[in-house]
Amino acid sequence: MTNLAHGLADGPGPGPWILFFPLMWALVVGGGIFLLRRVVGRGRAPWQQGRPALGEQSPIVVLGRRFAAGEIDEDEYWRRLSVLDEQFGRHAKGAP
């Protein structure tokens, strides 16, 4: 086993270059994981980082919950929804 780590001085063997290939593969795999996490893992595209997420805490969802809980009536719901739809919905400025 010690023969593999030494060069031709101690006998035939791959020498210190045997450590190069595992390190190269570790860098390739690590770089691939880094790139995948950077691009795919975030769940949002880099150009959308500044926009608020339309998830559970979006204003439209909160308004719907308030309406379902009976905190606001139907007229107020539709009035507020039309304002929020202009800002956060399909017709938002800058939305595709």
Side-chain angles (χ1 to χ4, degrees):
M1 187 70 168
T2 59
N3 197 17
L4 290 177
H6 299 359
L8 294 174
D10 292 336
W17 290 101
I18 195 169
L19 299 175
F20 175 73
F21 293 107
L23 289 175
M24 184 181 70
W25 280 110
L27 288 174
V28 168
V29 170
I33 291 172
F34 173 77
L35 288 175
L36 282 175
R37 289 189 68 198
R38 184 86 171 155
V39 174
V40 179
R42 300 273 187 244
R44 299 178 74 184
W47 59 86
Q48 294 177 338
Q49 294 297 329
R51 294 184 183 177
L54 294 177
E56 292 184 21
Q57 298 300 322
S58 74
I60 295 174
V61 172
V62 172
L63 181 65
R65 287 183 184 159
R66 288 185 65 199
F67 178 64
E71 296 177 18
I72 57 175
D73 62 352
E74 186 176 358
D75 293 332
E76 186 175 358
Y77 171 78
W78 287 111
R79 183 174 51 84
R80 290 185 181 201
L81 183 63
S82 66
V83 172
L84 289 175
D85 194 32
E86 290 176 7
Q87 294 178 1
F88 298 100
R90 293 178 299 262
H91 307 293
K93 294 178 183 175

